[in-house]
């Protein structure tokens, strides 16, 4: 199968940092279909050879094992081309069309790795140039809009020129091996599904922590914030994977139908619940990696009076028969204590205690997302203490915490496929299972919009020192239910 993959924003950060390394890994693994062409599109004035040299220089920043050898890059570079293009000029779309007609590939993928504000214009101009035929697939990067209205505007523009089956709204968390194994754990095994419900689960915590600041993305991030950047997409997709009912089959729409039901079942926000169960923070100067780091407002590109949140902690519930009454906690932020993304599913304590056990030592399933990738099952096992050894018959057996640890990188190391590699191959093959449907995305925006509106009318977020786990109000919020975040237990 021949394909053309057009990367709009082909010299941008996402292209060289994520997409090109992923495409090279697919090439190295032999999974990238032969007869392919990768066309970088940007306003830069580059030749094909100059673009290849640029990409090769960027590979120096990729971790060692994923860097191509000179011979490997030479072979990969034969697929790389460049087209100078100004997305505001219709004539440049016509030139792109002429380039694509040279081969008439079986599949043409248009990947919009550009600012979201350009999506509508680019999609409309692609249609004018006749680049919206049935063999064309469009990939849209997040954030898809700034709020519900802008998201609907983008979806409406796309819907006028392409069918839903041609649109791939990408969320790279859905391509992570650990998230794939979350689906496999739930729907490929009989072990957990019978107890995956309110009768057995006490609470669920989702943490997506980053130890870095905004780096070079200050200007972009200051217009976005943690709620739009992480919660509306990544975190809510994890909520869907955890909370959805088993789909009738593995087809894309069957899966996405069930995810949509979860989003519709999330408890709506009220003024009272926002005040109690929604915490936003902004990092100040502190210590990271043993060094002093600056606060968010001192980052390049950030407004010195910024009220943008770099931390969000939420408490919500899925209001249906399976999950009614089970608190769901979501936490994400920058400049936190460590780079740590995980899901913790805490099970209820035994109904009648016949053993002596440590406090707060109930069974727990931990799904590690990054940097570690795998599953941990925390259990209690019997341990002897001195009174038992001395024959004290009145002391019940003592339990001690133990855990079973499955590290996917160690178990499947050489077979692992990265998130963007998996998703790019799925786009080329036309598989929609790991992509977000328009109604699903709009429902996510609808749920977070009351938070957006409320916080826009408030003052500055709560401060927290870089290198900590956010404002103390986050710990107080979860403590009101009698629970604590994972690192505080």
């Amino acid at each position: 199968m021949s394909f053309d993959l057009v990367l709009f924003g082909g010299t941008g950060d996402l292209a060289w940092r994520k997409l090109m390394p992923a495409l090279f890994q697919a090439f190295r693994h032999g999974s990238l279909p032969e007869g392919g062409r990768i066309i970088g599109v940007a306003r830069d004035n580059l030749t094909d050879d100059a673009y290849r040299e640029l990409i090769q220089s960027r590979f120096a920043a990729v971790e060692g094992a994923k860097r191509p050898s000179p011979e490997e890059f030479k072979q990969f570079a034969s697929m790389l081309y460049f087209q100078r293009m100004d997305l505001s000029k219709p004539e440049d779309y016509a030139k792109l069309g002429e380039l694509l007609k040279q081969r008439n590939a079986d599949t043409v993928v248009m990947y919009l790795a550009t600012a979201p504000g350009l999506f509508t214009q680019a999609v409309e101009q692609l249609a004018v140039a006749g680049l919206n035929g049935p063999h064309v697939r469009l990939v849209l990067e997040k954030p898809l809009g700034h709020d519900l209205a802008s998201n609907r505007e983008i979806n409406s523009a796309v819907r006028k020129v392409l069918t839903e089956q041609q649109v791939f709204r990408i969320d790279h968390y859905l391509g992570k091996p650990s998230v794939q194994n979350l689906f496999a754990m739930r729907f490929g095994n009989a072990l957990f599904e019978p107890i995956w419900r309110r009768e057995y689960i006490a609470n669920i915590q989702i943490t997506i922590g980053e130890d870095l600041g905004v780096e070079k993305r200050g200007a972009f991030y200051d217009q976005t914030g943690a709620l739009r950047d992480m919660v509306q997409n990544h975190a809510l997709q994890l909520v869907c994977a955890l909370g959805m009912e088993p789909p009738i089959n593995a087809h894309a729409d069957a899966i996405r139908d069930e995810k949509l039901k979860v989003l519709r079942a999330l408890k709506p926000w009220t003024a009272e619940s926002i005040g109690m169960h929604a915490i936003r923070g902004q990092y100040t100067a502190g210590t990271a990696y043993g060094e002093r780091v600056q606060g968010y407002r001192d980052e390049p590109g950030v407004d010195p009076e910024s009220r943008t949140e770099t931390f969000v902690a939420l408490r919500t519930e899925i209001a249906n028969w399976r999950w009614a009454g089970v608190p769901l906690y979501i936490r994400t932020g920058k400049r936190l204590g460590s780079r740590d993304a995980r899901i913790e599913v805490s099970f209820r304590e035994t109904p009648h205690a016949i053993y002596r056990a440590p406090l707060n030592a109930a069974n727990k399933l931990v799904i590690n997302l990054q940097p570690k990738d795998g599953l941990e099952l925390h259990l209690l096992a019997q341990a002897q203490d001195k009174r038992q050894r001395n024959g004290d018959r009145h002391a019940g057996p003592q339990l001690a915490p133990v855990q079973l640890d499955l590290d996917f990188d160690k178990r499947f190391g050489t077979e692992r496929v990265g998130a963007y590699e998996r998703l790019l191959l799925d786009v080329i093959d036309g598989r929609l299972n790991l992509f977000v449907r328009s109604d699903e995305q709009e429902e996510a925006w609808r749920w977070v919009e009351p938070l957006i509106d409320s916080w826009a009318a408030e003052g500055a977020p709560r401060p927290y020192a870089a290198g900590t786990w956010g404002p103390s109000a986050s710990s107080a919020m979860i403590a009101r239910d009698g629970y604590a975040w994972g690192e505080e237990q």
Side-chain angles (χ1 to χ4, degrees):
M1 179 191 73
S2 62
F3 72 92
D4 282 335
L5 174 56
V6 184
L7 290 179
F8 291 80
T11 59
D13 180 72
L14 180 66
W16 70 259
R17 189 167 51 88
K18 296 289 187 181
L19 302 181
M20 282 297 182
L23 288 166
F24 169 71
Q25 289 303 314
F27 171 79
R28 172 184 271 176
H29 295 155
S31 50
L32 195 63
E34 295 183 4
R37 185 169 57 166
I38 301 166
I39 304 170
V41 166
R43 299 180 68 172
D44 307 71
N45 192 14
L46 299 174
T47 63
D48 292 340
D49 286 338
Y51 184 59
R52 291 163 185 153
E53 291 175 5
L54 173 66
I55 297 303
Q56 186 174 24
S57 68
R58 298 298 193 190
F59 270 110
V62 176
E63 60 181 280
K66 295 184 178 180
R67 292 178 196 165
S69 67
E71 182 57 35
E72 283 179 319
F73 186 79
K74 182 179 179 181
Q75 297 176 30
F76 177 67
S78 65
M79 303 176 67
L80 301 182
Y81 297 85
F82 185 80
Q83 178 79 13
R84 186 179 186 278
M85 192 168 172
D86 184 335
L87 297 187
S88 66
K89 295 182 177 180
E91 58 268 27
D92 284 1
Y93 291 87
K95 292 178 182 177
L96 176 63
E98 293 171 5
L99 177 63
L100 295 175
K101 287 178 182 177
Q102 292 175 5
R103 294 200 326 144
N104 284 324
D106 298 325
T107 298
V108 176
V109 176
M110 305 286 189
Y111 197 125
L112 294 187
T114 65
L118 298 174
F119 286 175
T120 299
Q121 180 186 52
V123 169
E124 291 173 347
Q125 289 300 323
L126 286 171
V128 170
L131 298 175
N132 63 329
H135 66 301
V136 172
R137 293 167 188 155
L138 179 72
V139 183
L140 297 173
E141 264 285 350
K142 66 98 176 172
L144 209 61
H146 197 69
D147 53 18
L148 178 59
S150 58
N151 177 254
R152 282 175 167 167
E153 182 181 345
I154 293 170
N155 283 333
S156 176
V158 170
R159 202 175 291 121
K160 289 177 182 177
V161 299
L162 295 165
T163 67
E164 183 68 32
Q165 287 67 38
Q166 292 176 271
V167 184
F168 294 72
R169 297 171 187 83
I170 197 167
D171 186 324
H172 76 271
Y173 260 63
L174 290 178
K176 284 181 174 291
S178 49
V179 178
Q180 295 304 297
N181 275 296
L182 171 58
F183 285 104
M185 182 194 72
R186 286 200 57 197
F187 306 130
N189 298 280
L191 181 62
F192 287 106
E193 191 58 28
I195 59 172
W196 206 256
R197 54 195 315 108
R198 59 186 171 83
E199 290 89 350
Y200 300 96
I201 292 177
N203 72 89
I204 298 175
Q205 300 179 20
I206 297 173
T207 294
I208 308 175
E210 300 178 76
D211 52 4
L212 297 176
V214 294
E215 305 305 298
K216 299 177 182 179
R217 301 170 68 228
F220 163 78
Y221 195 90
D222 206 39
Q223 300 299 314
T224 306
L227 184 67
R228 292 182 175 94
D229 191 44
M230 297 298 292
V231 175
Q232 184 273 332
N233 37 70
H234 301 330
L236 288 187
Q237 285 299 315
L238 295 177
V239 169
C240 289
L242 288 162
M244 64 188 282
E245 295 295 323
I248 59 172
N249 54 44
H251 294 163
D253 278 335
I255 294 170
R256 299 193 290 185
D257 286 346
E258 297 303 334
K259 288 163 61 183
L260 180 62
K261 291 176 185 177
V262 174
L263 293 169
R264 287 176 173 168
L266 286 174
K267 274 196 170 181
W269 292 104
T270 65
E272 181 182 9
S273 64
I274 290 175
M276 292 185 62
H277 300 147
I279 309 298
R280 64 181 186 131
Q282 185 185 87
Y283 67 84
T284 58
T287 302
Y289 306 111
E291 298 180 358
R292 193 72 176 167
V293 295
Q294 62 190 355
Y296 175 72
R297 294 184 179 184
D298 297 320
E299 299 277 15
V302 173
D303 182 350
E305 303 297 323
S306 175
R307 298 189 303 170
T308 299
E309 78 284 350
T310 63
F311 174 92
V312 172
L314 307 173
R315 181 202 187 278
T316 188
E317 294 179 20
I318 302 172
N320 62 18
W321 276 49
R322 180 186 287 263
W323 295 111
V326 177
L328 175 64
Y329 306 101
I330 299 170
R331 175 178 61 162
T332 185
K334 291 191 174 294
R335 283 289 186 218
L336 297 183
S338 66
R339 177 174 178 258
D340 186 11
R342 65 185 183 274
I343 300 166
E344 297 188 16
V345 180
S346 294
F347 293 90
R348 298 191 184 279
E349 295 182 355
T350 54
H352 176 64
I354 61 173
Y355 296 99
R356 289 180 296 118
L359 292 175
N360 302 317
N363 302 147
K364 181 167 64 174
L365 174 68
V366 179
I367 303 159
N368 292 305
L369 305 175
Q370 66 182 27
K372 187 179 178 181
D373 179 9
L375 299 175
E376 299 172 15
L377 186 58
H378 293 245
L379 306 169
L380 294 172
Q382 184 170 329
Q384 283 193 334
D385 63 13
K386 290 182 179 179
R387 286 182 295 176
Q388 285 177 287
R389 290 198 297 270
N390 293 336
D392 186 346
R393 294 180 299 170
H394 300 289
Q398 174 71 43
L399 299 184
V402 295
Q403 70 181 61
L404 305 176
D405 190 349
L406 174 59
D407 187 321
F408 288 136
D409 284 328
K410 292 179 180 177
R411 173 61 182 84
F412 304 110
T414 59
E415 305 166 32
R416 306 294 272 162
V417 176
Y420 272 106
E421 180 183 350
R422 179 188 298 275
L423 294 172
L424 285 165
L425 291 173
D426 279 359
V427 175
I428 294 171
D429 289 340
R431 293 191 294 266
L432 284 157
N433 297 47
L434 302 181
F435 297 86
V436 183
R437 203 167 58 192
S438 61
D439 53 358
E440 188 183 341
Q441 197 171 61
E442 288 180 14
E443 195 63 44
W445 276 114
R446 183 180 293 109
W447 188 73
V448 301
E449 191 156 63
L451 295 170
I452 295 173
D453 295 340
S454 176
W455 289 350
E458 291 181 6
R462 301 170 189 264
Y464 65 95
T468 66
W469 280 97
S472 59
S474 168
S475 297
M477 176 190 73
I478 192 171
R480 284 196 292 268
D481 292 334
Y483 303 121
W485 294 109
E487 76 281 352
E488 298 172 345
Q489 295 174 9

